[in-house]
């Protein structure tokens, strides 16, 4: 029967195992129901500590008490003081997780005691920034980015809560990794968007240029995206799926509508989603033709429709909350 070190159990609980270690953990769990039960109980203790609807300090205290009770059971069962000391160390680590939160703990484990820099957007603002390596980042409203003042010699890693648009400076020797609560995105140099919902542990990564590797933080899988694709991770179902990107969408970071071989239905849907209007198409509109280009986002649908009429042979009439589009005769 194989053995599993206490250190590996800790890494498994904190989602820090390598692929080889994960295989070893899975093999160990399959050997007996007792092994699987042990890890299940530890995971349950950790999750209960995180989800308990009390203050961070209370959550940390409760998590520690649960783990120390577990330690006492292990000590009586195995009669080994070494095991108890190791579980106490894990309790301290878990308390740090609960007190610092996901992003803070990420930096605690990767940069030691060095405090990360913090960029936060509130209200309707969008912040543009340049990191130490030359990577450009746009933070959408209500988002947070934790990043080091200087990247280390062998890695570039940041932590995102919310939504960010990244133009990564290419460096073959130092991949760029964006961590979130649900997934991590690894790149060498590319342009992509990552939107993460920390509460539901879900995320969407959309690739515009280059190539990225997307991996779920909780064993949901790993995929490689090509330009125009997006990876959607559902935290409730535990599924990671790849879909083709929309041919028409609003680019929040540049405040533009982007169309790539989009038909009139796609353009209409984009306007409906952005301005809350209902677009009604006349039967005389050519639905087979597609359009590629960008339009600046304006404050009203009327202003965008004026621009649209300059590049697409359509005319419009607005009645209340409805927009009627018809073909513009030459």
């Amino acid at each position: 029967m194989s053995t599993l070190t206490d250190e590996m159990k800790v890494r498994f609980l904190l989602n820090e195992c390598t692929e080889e270690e994960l295989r070893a953990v899975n093999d160990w769990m399959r050997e007996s129901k007792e092994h699987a039960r042990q890890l299940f109980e530890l995971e349950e203790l950790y999750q209960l500590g995180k989800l308990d609807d009390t203050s961070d300090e209370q959550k940390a205290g409760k998590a520690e008490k649960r783990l120390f009770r577990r330690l006492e059971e292990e000590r009586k069962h195995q009669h080994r003081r070494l095991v108890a000391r190791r579980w106490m160390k894990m309790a301290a680590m878990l308390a740090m997780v609960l007190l610092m939160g996901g992003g803070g703990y990420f930096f605690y484990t990767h940069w030691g005691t060095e405090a990360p820099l913090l960029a936060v957007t509130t209200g309707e603002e969008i912040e543009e920034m340049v990191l130490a390596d030359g990577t450009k980042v746009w933070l959408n409203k209500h988002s947070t980015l934790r990043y080091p003042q200087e990247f280390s010699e062998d890695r570039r890693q940041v932590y995102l809560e919310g939504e960010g648009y990244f133009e990564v400076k290419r460096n073959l020797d130092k991949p760029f990794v964006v961590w979130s609560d649900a997934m991590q995105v690894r790149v060498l140099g590319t342009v992509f968007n990552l939107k993460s919902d920390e509460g539901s542990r879900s995320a969407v990564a959309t690739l515009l240029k280059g190539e990225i590797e997307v991996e779920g933080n909780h064993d949901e899988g790993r995929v490689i995206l090509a330009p125009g694709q997006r990876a959607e991770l559902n935290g409730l179902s535990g599924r990671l799926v790849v879909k083709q990107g929309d041919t028409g969408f609003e680019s929040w970071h540049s405040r533009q509508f982007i169309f790539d071989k989009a038909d009139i239905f796609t353009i209409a849907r984009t306007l409906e989603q952005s301005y809350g209007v209902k677009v009604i198409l006349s039967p005389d509109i050519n639905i087979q033709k597609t359009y590629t280009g960008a339009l600046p986002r304006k404050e009203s649908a009327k202003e965008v429709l004026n621009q649209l009429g300059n590049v697409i042979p359509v005319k419009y009439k607005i009645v209340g909350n409805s927009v009627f589009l018809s073909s513009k005769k030459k």
Side-chain angles (χ1 to χ4, degrees):
M1 181 176 290
S2 63
T3 59
L4 199 68
T5 66
D6 297 317
E7 289 85 354
M8 193 177 297
K9 292 178 184 178
V10 171
R11 288 197 293 275
F12 174 81
L13 187 62
L14 300 177
N15 296 302
E16 294 181 351
C17 282
T18 64
E19 290 186 16
E20 183 177 352
E21 288 174 334
L22 278 176
R23 284 194 293 269
V25 171
N26 289 329
D27 290 342
W28 184 78
M29 284 193 295
R30 281 194 291 265
E31 286 183 354
S32 72
K33 292 183 178 180
E34 176 64 20
H35 290 172
R37 184 188 63 81
Q38 288 179 21
L39 283 185
F40 174 80
E41 289 179 354
L42 290 174
E43 177 71 18
E44 186 178 31
L45 289 174
Y46 172 51
Q47 295 298 334
L48 285 172
K50 286 178 63 180
L51 298 177
D52 192 0
D53 193 22
T54 55
S55 68
D56 285 344
E57 185 175 354
Q58 289 174 318
K59 285 191 287 186
K62 288 185 177 182
E64 284 185 286
K65 288 179 181 178
R66 293 190 187 101
L67 286 169
F68 277 114
R69 285 199 298 269
R70 175 66 177 167
L71 280 176
E72 182 62 20
E73 294 172 4
E74 289 289 333
R75 186 187 66 79
K76 290 179 180 179
H77 180 68
Q78 299 184 20
H79 302 287
R80 290 197 297 152
R81 296 176 61 87
L82 178 61
V83 172
R85 286 199 299 269
R86 286 173 175 171
W87 286 122
M88 286 185 219
K89 181 179 179 181
M90 186 180 76
M93 293 174 66
L94 291 177
M96 182 68 73
V97 171
L98 297 172
L99 290 172
M100 299 182 68
Y105 181 73
F106 168 78
F107 273 86
Y108 173 75
T109 55
H110 288 78
W111 279 276
T113 58
E114 180 182 349
L117 299 178
L118 198 65
V120 181
T121 57
T122 58
E124 297 300 315
E125 66 176 310
I126 293 175
E127 180 173 341
E128 179 181 353
M129 55 192 300
V130 180
L131 304 183
D133 67 330
T135 291
K136 294 181 180 180
V137 183
W138 286 261
L139 277 184
N140 206 350
K141 56 187 178 181
H142 306 301
S143 299
T144 300
L145 184 73
R146 291 179 173 89
Y147 60 100
Q149 185 168 359
E150 295 290 340
F151 291 111
S152 65
E153 294 182 359
D154 59 345
R155 59 189 174 190
R156 297 179 291 169
Q157 303 189 80
V158 299
Y159 189 94
L160 174 70
E161 297 173 14
E163 185 170 15
Y165 181 94
F166 295 81
E167 292 184 358
V168 178
K169 192 75 171 180
R170 186 172 179 82
N171 187 334
L172 296 176
D173 298 322
K174 191 187 298 187
F176 192 98
V177 181
V178 182
W179 292 80
S180 71
D181 187 57
M183 67 167 56
Q184 54 185 283
V185 178
R186 296 188 186 92
V187 302
L188 297 177
T190 189
V191 179
F192 68 96
N193 190 88
L194 175 61
K195 184 175 183 179
S196 176
D197 186 338
E198 187 175 10
S200 64
R201 214 166 69 178
S202 299
V204 178
T206 305
L207 180 63
L208 286 82
K209 185 187 300 183
E211 183 180 280
I212 60 176
E213 179 185 89
V214 178
E215 181 177 359
N217 291 342
H218 305 278
D219 299 326
E220 296 91 348
R222 179 188 302 171
V223 295
I224 295 178
L225 298 186
Q229 292 182 326
R230 68 180 185 271
E232 297 183 358
L233 191 152
N234 187 313
L236 298 178
S237 66
R239 295 185 61 207
L240 177 64
V241 297
V242 176
K243 297 182 179 180
Q244 284 300 125
D246 294 331
T247 57
F249 62 94
E250 180 183 348
S251 175
W252 59 266
H253 90 281
S254 62
R255 295 187 62 80
Q256 289 183 314
F257 294 106
I258 309 297
F259 300 110
D260 181 17
K261 298 180 180 178
D263 57 27
I264 193 65
F265 294 109
T266 299
I267 295 173
R269 185 179 68 248
T270 303
L271 294 177
E272 287 179 335
Q273 293 173 345
S274 298
Y275 294 103
V277 297
K278 180 176 178 58
V279 179
I280 302 169
L281 301 177
S282 170
D284 64 356
I285 290 183
N286 185 348
I287 62 175
Q288 303 299 325
K289 191 169 183 180
T290 60
Y291 306 91
T292 298
L295 288 176
R297 193 194 196 286
K298 299 294 184 179
E299 293 301 318
S300 68
K302 181 179 180 179
E303 293 175 279
V304 174
L305 289 166
N306 286 333
Q307 298 179 95
L308 188 64
N310 294 328
V311 293
I312 297 178
V314 294
K315 59 183 179 180
Y316 71 91
K317 180 168 62 174
I318 299 178
V319 180
N321 198 45
S322 297
V323 176
F324 294 84
L325 282 183
S326 58
S327 179
K328 183 188 296 182
K329 304 302 181 183
K330 296 183 179 179

